Amino acid sequence: MNRIRRIILVCFAFVCWLKMLADPGAIFYWGHLGFSVISETEKTVSAFIPANRLKTTVNVKIPETVLSYTVIKVGGLDNCPELETVLVPKTVNDFTWESGLWPFSNNKNSPKLRAINIDPENPYFTSVDGVVYDKEVSTLLIAPGGKNTITIPDGVKTIAKNSFAYAENIENVYFSDTVERIEEYAFYRCHSRINLHLSNNLKYIGPYAFEYCDGLEELILPDSVSVIEDSAFFRCDNLKYVKLPSSLKVIDRHLFGWCISLSFVVIPEGVTEIISGAFMACKGLNTITIPASATLIDHWVFGGCNNLMTFIVSPENPKYSAEGGMLLSKDKKTLYCAPGGESVTIPEGVTHIDAEAFSGSDIAYISIPSTLTSIASWAFIECYDLKELTCKAEIPPVVTGNQGEFLSSDIMSPIMEIDLYVPGQSVELYKKADGWKRLKNRIYPIPGTESASVDSAVATNGSYTVYSLDGVLRLQTDNKDDIQRLPAGIYIVSGDGAAEKAVVR
């Protein structure tokens, strides 16, 4: 009776197991591997290393079939610290790179993986020296991160997404001159010191292609490269030298952001646009050269470049010029970007400070000229070390832009502890002016200036002629009280052949 009961229980368990396998995603184990059912109808599965064997597996051979199933997919082979080789059968047609899982190519926590060998009869993939390519050997798909040197064969045109990502030990990559494209995240987080011997026919580098590639120290891009996408070299902490290609037209958003070791960059002739954040927080950057062709330098391009002291602008540039380490408009009336350092004096003649001109700067003291008439929103955004502003303009410069705030990005943020010094006769005007009145309790007269008033006007014969500061006649009167009815501002009051400034509050 017990024997019959055991047989019944075994049969029942087997039936339950078969029923479980009928559902896509059902998992079973065979030998040293795990398998996940992809399709019960087509009898296909994906192979993976079970969690309890991830840290001990050294070599893996994927079978073509297991039980009644065909293995067509490989997954879950990362996070294997001892894994060295993998043998993939002819039945596998998917390494799941489109989904971003990338069991091999991310190399994550599998630093010893040195060879992925594909069965020669596999109709989808092939391997050359342990590196996985498509069957035509036109796209490099997976580069095992445990290899030291990889030589890409002739005929390969594309380095696929994530193909070298997380590589721990690759130090030299020799590109065939047939390679034209490096796709997104291709070298993401390659931490070992890596030397790239790039193709002379490389045309395209995708977004984030070398992001966090802190093993990259030198970058010499061939002149064939015409497109480098957003953030391609973001946070390459040890990148010291860059040679940009002459065919490049746009330096894209965040392209070299946070490359803290980069100290000197020459923008080649032919570049027309430098997009926001292209060199943000490059704290080692001290000199940058702007060519004649550059006609758009976006906001925040050099935000947080605290040691940037010198702009060198081609005299042929139609839009930009440089003076005193500052990036100015051609007519030197607009300040686009100020240098780093503890203090800066904006030269007389500048009439406008553009948005984010001082963004992220650690500057402490700024002197604004008397010629300034406007200042853009967020001109001093994130200037957390700013202690003192001296504005020599007698009329408070108008704050332009949608935010109406030039000291921070948030008009509701706490008042910054900044002392503002203005001409003595203008103190009250600044205390009422939009954008400036947030500092009303810390506005002081510039030492040595005196506040003029109508009472001290020079006229003695009872006749007054009043002009605005731009020379427009505003009033002729014999009654001094008429002057007090003018809009608040600073005026020139003349009489008896002399003139003096006066403030109407």
Side-chain angles (χ1 to χ4, degrees):
M1 180 65 69
N2 288 336
R3 183 178 179 186
I4 294 174
R5 181 179 296 175
R6 284 198 298 270
I7 292 174
I8 292 173
L9 289 173
V10 168
C11 291
F12 178 76
F14 184 70
V15 170
C16 291
W17 180 65
L18 290 177
K19 186 178 184 300
M20 176 192 71
L21 292 184
D23 297 325
I27 292 174
F28 66 95
Y29 301 91
W30 196 266
H32 300 306
L33 295 173
F35 298 90
S36 176
V37 175
I38 296 173
S39 171
E40 180 63 28
T41 302
E42 298 178 3
K43 308 297 287 186
T44 55
V45 292
S46 174
F48 63 92
I49 296 177
N52 63 343
R53 298 188 60 85
L54 287 175
K55 298 188 183 303
T56 58
T57 298
V58 176
N59 300 298
V60 172
K61 181 179 180 180
I62 309 295
E64 292 182 16
T65 61
V66 57
L67 298 177
S68 60
Y69 296 89
T70 301
V71 180
I72 65 169
K73 186 174 180 179
V74 178
L77 291 171
D78 54 349
N79 293 308
C80 298
E82 301 301 322
L83 184 63
E84 295 183 7
T85 65
V86 179
L87 179 60
V88 178
K90 64 183 180 183
T91 55
V92 167
N93 62 23
D94 187 4
F95 283 105
T96 66
W97 50 83
E98 291 299 332
S99 69
L101 296 179
W102 287 82
F104 301 113
S105 62
N106 64 19
N107 293 295
K108 191 172 183 180
N109 300 321
S110 298
K112 296 182 180 180
L113 181 59
R114 54 183 172 78
I116 303 168
N117 297 310
I118 309 292
D119 187 311
E121 295 184 18
N122 187 298
Y124 309 101
F125 310 108
T126 191
S127 57
V128 179
D129 193 26
V131 178
V132 179
Y133 300 85
D134 63 348
K135 194 62 179 178
E136 293 75 24
V137 195
S138 62
T139 301
L140 187 156
L141 298 173
I142 306 172
K147 298 178 70 67
N148 178 267
T149 298
I150 291 179
T151 300
I152 300 170
D154 286 343
V156 174
K157 293 184 177 181
T158 302
I159 309 302
K161 174 183 176 180
N162 284 3
S163 50
F164 287 81
Y166 289 99
E168 291 290 335
N169 296 299
I170 295 176
E171 295 183 358
N172 293 284
V173 181
Y174 295 90
F175 285 70
S176 164
D177 278 343
T178 59
V179 175
E180 297 180 353
R181 295 176 65 88
I182 299 175
E183 300 293 352
E184 60 183 319
Y185 295 108
F187 289 84
Y188 179 73
R189 290 189 183 272
C190 284
H191 296 309
S192 60
R193 181 174 179 179
I194 188 168
N195 298 306
L196 299 174
H197 307 270
L198 295 172
S199 163
N200 289 316
N201 292 302
L202 183 65
K203 295 179 174 60
Y204 172 85
I205 298 175
Y208 318 104
F210 294 86
E211 186 178 35
Y212 289 96
C213 189
D214 51 25
L216 186 63
E217 295 184 0
E218 181 178 271
L219 181 64
I220 300 175
L221 295 172
D223 288 337
S224 56
V225 177
S226 58
V227 177
I228 308 175
E229 298 275 19
D230 175 12
S231 304
F233 298 95
F234 185 80
R235 287 304 296 258
C236 291
D237 289 355
N238 293 301
L239 183 61
K240 299 177 176 65
Y241 174 75
V242 172
K243 178 186 179 296
L244 293 172
S246 59
S247 55
L248 194 64
K249 301 299 181 185
V250 177
I251 296 180
D252 212 339
R253 189 176 74 96
H254 297 167
L255 187 59
F256 295 101
W258 283 94
C259 290
I260 58 176
S261 298
L262 194 61
S263 62
F264 175 77
V265 175
V266 175
I267 307 298
E269 190 63 48
V271 169
T272 59
E273 299 179 19
I274 307 175
I275 307 302
S276 177
F279 295 94
M280 62 177 286
C282 289
K283 298 183 183 300
L285 190 63
N286 55 57
T287 303
I288 194 149
T289 298
I290 307 294
S293 57
T295 54
L296 173 62
I297 300 177
D298 215 342
H299 298 147
W300 195 251
V301 166
F302 304 105
C305 294
N306 295 332
N307 293 303
L308 180 56
M309 298 296 179
T310 305
F311 284 95
I312 301 172
V313 179
S314 167
E316 305 302 318
N317 190 294
K319 183 174 180 179
Y320 299 102
S321 64
E323 180 179 324
M326 303 176 197
L327 182 65
L328 304 168
S329 59
K330 189 69 173 181
D331 60 9
K332 298 187 177 180
K333 291 185 178 181
T334 297
L335 171 63
Y336 291 111
C337 187
E342 186 180 19
S343 63
V344 64
T345 298
I346 301 171
E348 289 290 329
V350 171
T351 61
H352 178 69
I353 299 176
D354 206 24
E356 301 177 11
F358 290 84
S359 56
S361 173
D362 59 0
I363 204 160
Y365 304 95
I366 300 173
S367 178
I368 295 172
S370 63
T371 51
L372 197 77
T373 58
S374 61
I375 183 169
S377 294
W378 299 3
F380 298 97
I381 183 175
E382 296 182 7
C383 291
Y384 300 119
D385 295 320
L386 186 59
K387 296 181 177 65
E388 182 179 298
L389 279 174
T390 297
C391 186
K392 300 176 183 177
E394 294 178 336
I395 298 292
V398 174
V399 180
T400 63
N402 295 329
Q403 304 301 321
E405 173 60 61
F406 64 91
L407 291 173
S408 72
S409 60
D410 181 2
I411 60 173
M412 300 303 293
S413 62
I415 296 175
M416 301 173 71
E417 294 184 358
I418 300 171
D419 291 330
L420 174 62
Y421 289 88
V422 301
Q425 68 269 27
S426 305
V427 169
E428 294 303 318
L429 291 178
Y430 275 86
K431 287 182 177 181
K432 298 175 182 178
D434 290 341
W436 301 92
K437 60 187 178 183
R438 291 187 69 201
L439 301 174
K440 63 183 179 181
N441 295 325
R442 304 180 71 100
I443 300 177
Y444 310 103
I446 297 172
T449 63
E450 296 179 356
S451 180
S453 68
V454 174
D455 292 335
S456 63
V458 297
T460 58
N461 61 4
S463 179
Y464 301 92
T465 302
V466 184
Y467 299 88
S468 60
L469 288 180
D470 56 5
V472 176
L473 177 65
R474 299 301 303 272
L475 180 68
Q476 286 182 310
T477 182
D478 294 332
N479 184 355
K480 183 171 65 176
D481 293 338
D482 291 342
I483 301 175
Q484 298 285 9
R485 299 186 182 96
L486 288 169
I490 301 176
Y491 298 91
I492 304 297
V493 180
S494 66
D496 253 4
E500 185 173 302
K501 290 179 183 176
V503 176
V504 175
R505 299 183 174 88

mmCIF file of all heavy atoms in Angstrom, residues 374-412:
data_model
loop_
_atom_site.group_PDB
_atom_site.id
_atom_site.type_symbol
_atom_site.label_atom_id
_atom_site.label_comp_id
_atom_site.label_asym_id
_atom_site.label_seq_id
_atom_site.Cartn_x
_atom_site.Cartn_y
_atom_site.Cartn_z
ATOM 1 N N SER A 374 20.851 96.274 -17.482
ATOM 2 C CA SER A 374 19.997 95.103 -17.304
ATOM 3 C C SER A 374 20.829 93.891 -16.904
ATOM 4 O O SER A 374 22.026 93.788 -17.208
ATOM 5 C CB SER A 374 19.215 94.792 -18.590
ATOM 6 O OG SER A 374 20.092 94.510 -19.663
ATOM 7 N N ILE A 375 20.153 92.993 -16.226
ATOM 8 C CA ILE A 375 20.796 91.762 -15.769
ATOM 9 C C ILE A 375 19.760 90.632 -15.892
ATOM 10 O O ILE A 375 18.602 90.797 -15.507
ATOM 11 C CB ILE A 375 21.314 91.910 -14.324
ATOM 12 C CG1 ILE A 375 22.042 90.648 -13.866
ATOM 13 C CG2 ILE A 375 20.197 92.262 -13.373
ATOM 14 C CD1 ILE A 375 22.797 90.860 -12.564
ATOM 15 N N ALA A 376 20.165 89.502 -16.474
ATOM 16 C CA ALA A 376 19.225 88.423 -16.767
ATOM 17 C C ALA A 376 18.932 87.578 -15.529
ATOM 18 O O ALA A 376 19.737 87.493 -14.600
ATOM 19 C CB ALA A 376 19.780 87.537 -17.881
ATOM 20 N N SER A 377 17.767 86.954 -15.563
ATOM 21 C CA SER A 377 17.415 86.008 -14.499
ATOM 22 C C SER A 377 18.513 84.968 -14.354
ATOM 23 O O SER A 377 19.088 84.509 -15.338
ATOM 24 C CB SER A 377 16.101 85.294 -14.839
ATOM 25 O OG SER A 377 15.030 86.197 -14.854
ATOM 26 N N TRP A 378 18.782 84.612 -13.109
ATOM 27 C CA TRP A 378 19.719 83.544 -12.775
ATOM 28 C C TRP A 378 21.171 83.861 -13.153
ATOM 29 O O TRP A 378 21.998 82.968 -13.272
ATOM 30 C CB TRP A 378 19.311 82.221 -13.423
ATOM 31 C CG TRP A 378 17.983 81.709 -13.011
ATOM 32 C CD1 TRP A 378 17.077 82.309 -12.186
ATOM 33 C CD2 TRP A 378 17.379 80.477 -13.418
ATOM 34 N NE1 TRP A 378 15.958 81.538 -12.040
ATOM 35 C CE2 TRP A 378 16.104 80.406 -12.787
ATOM 36 C CE3 TRP A 378 17.784 79.446 -14.235
ATOM 37 C CZ2 TRP A 378 15.250 79.332 -12.971
ATOM 38 C CZ3 TRP A 378 16.919 78.381 -14.424
ATOM 39 C CH2 TRP A 378 15.669 78.317 -13.801
ATOM 40 N N ALA A 379 21.491 85.127 -13.306
ATOM 41 C CA ALA A 379 22.870 85.483 -13.660
ATOM 42 C C ALA A 379 23.862 84.977 -12.621
ATOM 43 O O ALA A 379 24.997 84.620 -12.951
ATOM 44 C CB ALA A 379 23.006 86.996 -13.807
ATOM 45 N N PHE A 380 23.438 84.919 -11.339
ATOM 46 C CA PHE A 380 24.318 84.478 -10.264
ATOM 47 C C PHE A 380 23.816 83.188 -9.620
ATOM 48 O O PHE A 380 24.060 82.938 -8.439
ATOM 49 C CB PHE A 380 24.440 85.573 -9.199
ATOM 50 C CG PHE A 380 25.039 86.851 -9.722
ATOM 51 C CD1 PHE A 380 24.233 87.898 -10.121
ATOM 52 C CD2 PHE A 380 26.412 86.985 -9.842
ATOM 53 C CE1 PHE A 380 24.774 89.074 -10.606
ATOM 54 C CE2 PHE A 380 26.966 88.165 -10.328
ATOM 55 C CZ PHE A 380 26.153 89.214 -10.719
ATOM 56 N N ILE A 381 23.150 82.357 -10.384
ATOM 57 C CA ILE A 381 22.591 81.122 -9.842
ATOM 58 C C ILE A 381 23.694 80.236 -9.253
ATOM 59 O O ILE A 381 24.763 80.069 -9.832
ATOM 60 C CB ILE A 381 21.805 80.361 -10.934
ATOM 61 C CG1 ILE A 381 21.158 79.112 -10.359
ATOM 62 C CG2 ILE A 381 22.673 80.020 -12.121
ATOM 63 C CD1 ILE A 381 20.263 78.385 -11.345
ATOM 64 N N GLU A 382 23.446 79.728 -8.068
ATOM 65 C CA GLU A 382 24.337 78.806 -7.365
ATOM 66 C C GLU A 382 25.714 79.414 -7.064
ATOM 67 O O GLU A 382 26.699 78.698 -6.966
ATOM 68 C CB GLU A 382 24.485 77.499 -8.137
ATOM 69 C CG GLU A 382 23.163 76.741 -8.244
ATOM 70 C CD GLU A 382 23.281 75.412 -8.955
ATOM 71 O OE1 GLU A 382 24.411 74.987 -9.270
ATOM 72 O OE2 GLU A 382 22.238 74.778 -9.197
ATOM 73 N N CYS A 383 25.767 80.719 -6.893
ATOM 74 C CA CYS A 383 27.007 81.370 -6.456
ATOM 75 C C CYS A 383 26.992 81.414 -4.923
ATOM 76 O O CYS A 383 26.765 82.465 -4.304
ATOM 77 C CB CYS A 383 27.112 82.775 -7.039
ATOM 78 S SG CYS A 383 27.378 82.812 -8.817
ATOM 79 N N TYR A 384 27.234 80.281 -4.335
ATOM 80 C CA TYR A 384 27.050 80.145 -2.893
ATOM 81 C C TYR A 384 28.131 80.851 -2.072
ATOM 82 O O TYR A 384 27.944 81.068 -0.874
ATOM 83 C CB TYR A 384 26.999 78.668 -2.523
ATOM 84 C CG TYR A 384 25.874 77.914 -3.197
ATOM 85 C CD1 TYR A 384 26.127 76.843 -4.045
ATOM 86 C CD2 TYR A 384 24.547 78.300 -3.003
ATOM 87 C CE1 TYR A 384 25.088 76.161 -4.671
ATOM 88 C CE2 TYR A 384 23.507 77.625 -3.612
ATOM 89 C CZ TYR A 384 23.781 76.561 -4.449
ATOM 90 O OH TYR A 384 22.762 75.896 -5.075
ATOM 91 N N ASP A 385 29.240 81.201 -2.705
ATOM 92 C CA ASP A 385 30.319 81.879 -1.973
ATOM 93 C C ASP A 385 30.272 83.400 -2.124
ATOM 94 O O ASP A 385 31.121 84.107 -1.572
ATOM 95 C CB ASP A 385 31.679 81.370 -2.462
ATOM 96 C CG ASP A 385 31.891 79.904 -2.136
ATOM 97 O OD1 ASP A 385 31.503 79.494 -1.021
ATOM 98 O OD2 ASP A 385 32.437 79.166 -2.970
ATOM 99 N N LEU A 386 29.300 83.900 -2.878
ATOM 100 C CA LEU A 386 29.220 85.334 -3.117
ATOM 101 C C LEU A 386 28.919 86.075 -1.822
ATOM 102 O O LEU A 386 27.947 85.775 -1.124
ATOM 103 C CB LEU A 386 28.137 85.619 -4.160
ATOM 104 C CG LEU A 386 28.020 87.070 -4.641
ATOM 105 C CD1 LEU A 386 29.322 87.544 -5.264
ATOM 106 C CD2 LEU A 386 26.864 87.193 -5.642
ATOM 107 N N LYS A 387 29.783 87.064 -1.501
ATOM 108 C CA LYS A 387 29.637 87.826 -0.263
ATOM 109 C C LYS A 387 29.262 89.281 -0.507
ATOM 110 O O LYS A 387 28.558 89.892 0.293
ATOM 111 C CB LYS A 387 30.936 87.780 0.543
ATOM 112 C CG LYS A 387 31.344 86.409 1.047
ATOM 113 C CD LYS A 387 32.630 86.501 1.837
ATOM 114 C CE LYS A 387 33.025 85.146 2.430
ATOM 115 N NZ LYS A 387 33.337 84.151 1.381
ATOM 116 N N GLU A 388 29.761 89.841 -1.618
ATOM 117 C CA GLU A 388 29.599 91.287 -1.796
ATOM 118 C C GLU A 388 29.455 91.652 -3.263
ATOM 119 O O GLU A 388 30.214 91.188 -4.113
ATOM 120 C CB GLU A 388 30.811 92.002 -1.195
ATOM 121 C CG GLU A 388 30.741 93.511 -1.263
ATOM 122 C CD GLU A 388 31.967 94.139 -0.615
ATOM 123 O OE1 GLU A 388 32.154 93.919 0.602
ATOM 124 O OE2 GLU A 388 32.738 94.830 -1.317
ATOM 125 N N LEU A 389 28.426 92.477 -3.538
ATOM 126 C CA LEU A 389 28.224 93.061 -4.855
ATOM 127 C C LEU A 389 28.372 94.570 -4.741
ATOM 128 O O LEU A 389 27.808 95.185 -3.830
ATOM 129 C CB LEU A 389 26.823 92.752 -5.379
ATOM 130 C CG LEU A 389 26.527 91.406 -6.029
ATOM 131 C CD1 LEU A 389 25.036 91.310 -6.311
ATOM 132 C CD2 LEU A 389 27.312 91.239 -7.308
ATOM 133 N N THR A 390 29.128 95.158 -5.653
ATOM 134 C CA THR A 390 29.174 96.609 -5.768
ATOM 135 C C THR A 390 28.620 96.971 -7.133
ATOM 136 O O THR A 390 29.172 96.561 -8.163
ATOM 137 C CB THR A 390 30.612 97.147 -5.637
ATOM 138 O OG1 THR A 390 31.110 96.839 -4.334
ATOM 139 C CG2 THR A 390 30.644 98.649 -5.847
ATOM 140 N N CYS A 391 27.510 97.673 -7.155
ATOM 141 C CA CYS A 391 26.887 98.072 -8.417
ATOM 142 C C CYS A 391 26.962 99.590 -8.527
ATOM 143 O O CYS A 391 26.312 100.313 -7.748
ATOM 144 C CB CYS A 391 25.441 97.592 -8.493
ATOM 145 S SG CYS A 391 24.678 97.902 -10.099
ATOM 146 N N LYS A 392 27.725 100.086 -9.469
ATOM 147 C CA LYS A 392 27.950 101.526 -9.618
ATOM 148 C C LYS A 392 26.859 102.213 -10.419
ATOM 149 O O LYS A 392 26.865 103.450 -10.529
ATOM 150 C CB LYS A 392 29.304 101.765 -10.270
ATOM 151 C CG LYS A 392 30.473 101.210 -9.464
ATOM 152 C CD LYS A 392 31.786 101.382 -10.201
ATOM 153 C CE LYS A 392 32.945 100.750 -9.423
ATOM 154 N NZ LYS A 392 34.229 100.848 -10.171
ATOM 155 N N ALA A 393 25.925 101.441 -10.973
ATOM 156 C CA ALA A 393 24.834 102.037 -11.761
ATOM 157 C C ALA A 393 23.890 102.804 -10.850
ATOM 158 O O ALA A 393 23.411 102.268 -9.842
ATOM 159 C CB ALA A 393 24.083 100.955 -12.510
ATOM 160 N N GLU A 394 23.597 104.035 -11.196
ATOM 161 C CA GLU A 394 22.744 104.859 -10.347
ATOM 162 C C GLU A 394 21.279 104.456 -10.455
ATOM 163 O O GLU A 394 20.521 104.587 -9.490
ATOM 164 C CB GLU A 394 22.936 106.342 -10.695
ATOM 165 C CG GLU A 394 24.347 106.833 -10.363
ATOM 166 C CD GLU A 394 24.571 108.273 -10.754
ATOM 167 O OE1 GLU A 394 23.852 108.758 -11.651
ATOM 168 O OE2 GLU A 394 25.463 108.909 -10.178
ATOM 169 N N ILE A 395 20.864 103.982 -11.621
ATOM 170 C CA ILE A 395 19.522 103.429 -11.794
ATOM 171 C C ILE A 395 19.638 101.919 -11.662
ATOM 172 O O ILE A 395 20.438 101.295 -12.359
ATOM 173 C CB ILE A 395 18.934 103.785 -13.169
ATOM 174 C CG1 ILE A 395 18.801 105.296 -13.313
ATOM 175 C CG2 ILE A 395 17.584 103.101 -13.364
ATOM 176 C CD1 ILE A 395 17.780 105.919 -12.418
ATOM 177 N N PRO A 396 18.875 101.268 -10.789
ATOM 178 C CA PRO A 396 18.990 99.815 -10.640
ATOM 179 C C PRO A 396 18.792 99.103 -11.976
ATOM 180 O O PRO A 396 17.776 99.318 -12.648
ATOM 181 C CB PRO A 396 17.871 99.462 -9.656
ATOM 182 C CG PRO A 396 17.630 100.723 -8.889
ATOM 183 C CD PRO A 396 17.871 101.834 -9.850
ATOM 184 N N PRO A 397 19.727 98.284 -12.405
ATOM 185 C CA PRO A 397 19.558 97.549 -13.658
ATOM 186 C C PRO A 397 18.293 96.703 -13.627
ATOM 187 O O PRO A 397 17.958 96.081 -12.614
ATOM 188 C CB PRO A 397 20.825 96.674 -13.722
ATOM 189 C CG PRO A 397 21.846 97.437 -12.934
ATOM 190 C CD PRO A 397 21.071 98.053 -11.810
ATOM 191 N N VAL A 398 17.597 96.693 -14.719
ATOM 192 C CA VAL A 398 16.353 95.932 -14.834
ATOM 193 C C VAL A 398 16.689 94.441 -14.894
ATOM 194 O O VAL A 398 17.616 94.021 -15.580
ATOM 195 C CB VAL A 398 15.589 96.344 -16.113
ATOM 196 C CG1 VAL A 398 14.367 95.453 -16.321
ATOM 197 C CG2 VAL A 398 15.197 97.815 -16.029
ATOM 198 N N VAL A 399 15.919 93.628 -14.164
ATOM 199 C CA VAL A 399 16.088 92.173 -14.196
ATOM 200 C C VAL A 399 15.189 91.620 -15.297
ATOM 201 O O VAL A 399 13.966 91.755 -15.228
ATOM 202 C CB VAL A 399 15.745 91.531 -12.842
ATOM 203 C CG1 VAL A 399 15.936 90.018 -12.922
ATOM 204 C CG2 VAL A 399 16.619 92.119 -11.742
ATOM 205 N N THR A 400 15.798 91.023 -16.315
ATOM 206 C CA THR A 400 15.053 90.518 -17.465
ATOM 207 C C THR A 400 14.819 89.013 -17.343
ATOM 208 O O THR A 400 15.469 88.328 -16.571
ATOM 209 C CB THR A 400 15.806 90.805 -18.773
ATOM 210 O OG1 THR A 400 17.058 90.095 -18.764
ATOM 211 C CG2 THR A 400 16.080 92.278 -18.928
ATOM 212 N N GLY A 401 13.897 88.498 -18.142
ATOM 213 C CA GLY A 401 13.621 87.066 -18.134
ATOM 214 C C GLY A 401 12.389 86.747 -17.322
ATOM 215 O O GLY A 401 11.833 87.586 -16.605
ATOM 216 N N ASN A 402 11.962 85.500 -17.390
ATOM 217 C CA ASN A 402 10.712 85.086 -16.769
ATOM 218 C C ASN A 402 10.783 84.980 -15.244
ATOM 219 O O ASN A 402 9.771 85.066 -14.568
ATOM 220 C CB ASN A 402 10.266 83.734 -17.342
ATOM 221 C CG ASN A 402 9.940 83.840 -18.816
ATOM 222 O OD1 ASN A 402 9.503 84.883 -19.277
ATOM 223 N ND2 ASN A 402 10.162 82.760 -19.554
ATOM 224 N N GLN A 403 11.981 84.761 -14.724
ATOM 225 C CA GLN A 403 12.073 84.468 -13.290
ATOM 226 C C GLN A 403 12.065 85.714 -12.410
ATOM 227 O O GLN A 403 11.653 85.662 -11.267
ATOM 228 C CB GLN A 403 13.345 83.650 -13.011
ATOM 229 C CG GLN A 403 13.438 82.367 -13.818
ATOM 230 C CD GLN A 403 12.269 81.452 -13.572
ATOM 231 O OE1 GLN A 403 11.799 81.330 -12.445
ATOM 232 N NE2 GLN A 403 11.779 80.808 -14.610
ATOM 233 N N GLY A 404 12.546 86.835 -12.963
ATOM 234 C CA GLY A 404 12.589 88.052 -12.168
ATOM 235 C C GLY A 404 13.532 87.969 -10.989
ATOM 236 O O GLY A 404 13.404 88.681 -10.008
ATOM 237 N N GLU A 405 14.496 87.090 -11.057
ATOM 238 C CA GLU A 405 15.403 86.840 -9.928
ATOM 239 C C GLU A 405 16.776 86.491 -10.486
ATOM 240 O O GLU A 405 16.909 85.609 -11.317
ATOM 241 C CB GLU A 405 14.864 85.685 -9.085
ATOM 242 C CG GLU A 405 15.794 85.225 -8.000
ATOM 243 C CD GLU A 405 16.092 86.337 -7.027
ATOM 244 O OE1 GLU A 405 15.167 86.849 -6.378
ATOM 245 O OE2 GLU A 405 17.282 86.685 -6.925
ATOM 246 N N PHE A 406 17.807 87.226 -10.076
ATOM 247 C CA PHE A 406 19.126 86.973 -10.631
ATOM 248 C C PHE A 406 20.086 86.338 -9.621
ATOM 249 O O PHE A 406 21.190 85.938 -9.969
ATOM 250 C CB PHE A 406 19.760 88.258 -11.179
ATOM 251 C CG PHE A 406 20.032 89.307 -10.134
ATOM 252 C CD1 PHE A 406 21.253 89.347 -9.479
ATOM 253 C CD2 PHE A 406 19.077 90.255 -9.811
ATOM 254 C CE1 PHE A 406 21.510 90.308 -8.511
ATOM 255 C CE2 PHE A 406 19.327 91.216 -8.845
ATOM 256 C CZ PHE A 406 20.543 91.241 -8.196
ATOM 257 N N LEU A 407 19.664 86.237 -8.359
ATOM 258 C CA LEU A 407 20.570 85.707 -7.346
ATOM 259 C C LEU A 407 20.425 84.212 -7.129
ATOM 260 O O LEU A 407 21.328 83.572 -6.607
ATOM 261 C CB LEU A 407 20.343 86.427 -6.018
ATOM 262 C CG LEU A 407 20.766 87.898 -5.994
ATOM 263 C CD1 LEU A 407 20.341 88.540 -4.698
ATOM 264 C CD2 LEU A 407 22.263 88.023 -6.183
ATOM 265 N N SER A 408 19.288 83.631 -7.472
ATOM 266 C CA SER A 408 19.089 82.205 -7.271
ATOM 267 C C SER A 408 18.066 81.714 -8.280
ATOM 268 O O SER A 408 17.510 82.486 -9.053
ATOM 269 C CB SER A 408 18.620 81.899 -5.846
ATOM 270 O OG SER A 408 17.280 82.326 -5.695
ATOM 271 N N SER A 409 17.804 80.408 -8.251
ATOM 272 C CA SER A 409 16.842 79.831 -9.183
ATOM 273 C C SER A 409 15.437 79.815 -8.611
ATOM 274 O O SER A 409 14.502 79.440 -9.295
ATOM 275 C CB SER A 409 17.254 78.396 -9.536
ATOM 276 O OG SER A 409 17.296 77.612 -8.361
ATOM 277 N N ASP A 410 15.277 80.240 -7.386
ATOM 278 C CA ASP A 410 13.984 80.117 -6.733
ATOM 279 C C ASP A 410 13.684 81.407 -5.980
ATOM 280 O O ASP A 410 14.365 81.737 -5.015
ATOM 281 C CB ASP A 410 13.992 78.922 -5.773
ATOM 282 C CG ASP A 410 12.649 78.725 -5.079
ATOM 283 O OD1 ASP A 410 11.708 79.491 -5.369
ATOM 284 O OD2 ASP A 410 12.560 77.808 -4.243
ATOM 285 N N ILE A 411 12.669 82.114 -6.428
ATOM 286 C CA ILE A 411 12.365 83.398 -5.788
ATOM 287 C C ILE A 411 11.862 83.211 -4.360
ATOM 288 O O ILE A 411 11.779 84.169 -3.602
ATOM 289 C CB ILE A 411 11.333 84.195 -6.607
ATOM 290 C CG1 ILE A 411 10.017 83.414 -6.734
ATOM 291 C CG2 ILE A 411 11.862 84.541 -7.972
ATOM 292 C CD1 ILE A 411 8.896 84.221 -7.394
ATOM 293 N N MET A 412 11.541 81.973 -3.986
ATOM 294 C CA MET A 412 11.088 81.705 -2.627
ATOM 295 C C MET A 412 12.229 81.232 -1.726
ATOM 296 O O MET A 412 12.026 80.956 -0.546
ATOM 297 C CB MET A 412 9.989 80.644 -2.646
ATOM 298 C CG MET A 412 8.754 81.048 -3.461
ATOM 299 S SD MET A 412 8.013 82.594 -2.886
ATOM 300 C CE MET A 412 7.418 82.079 -1.276
#
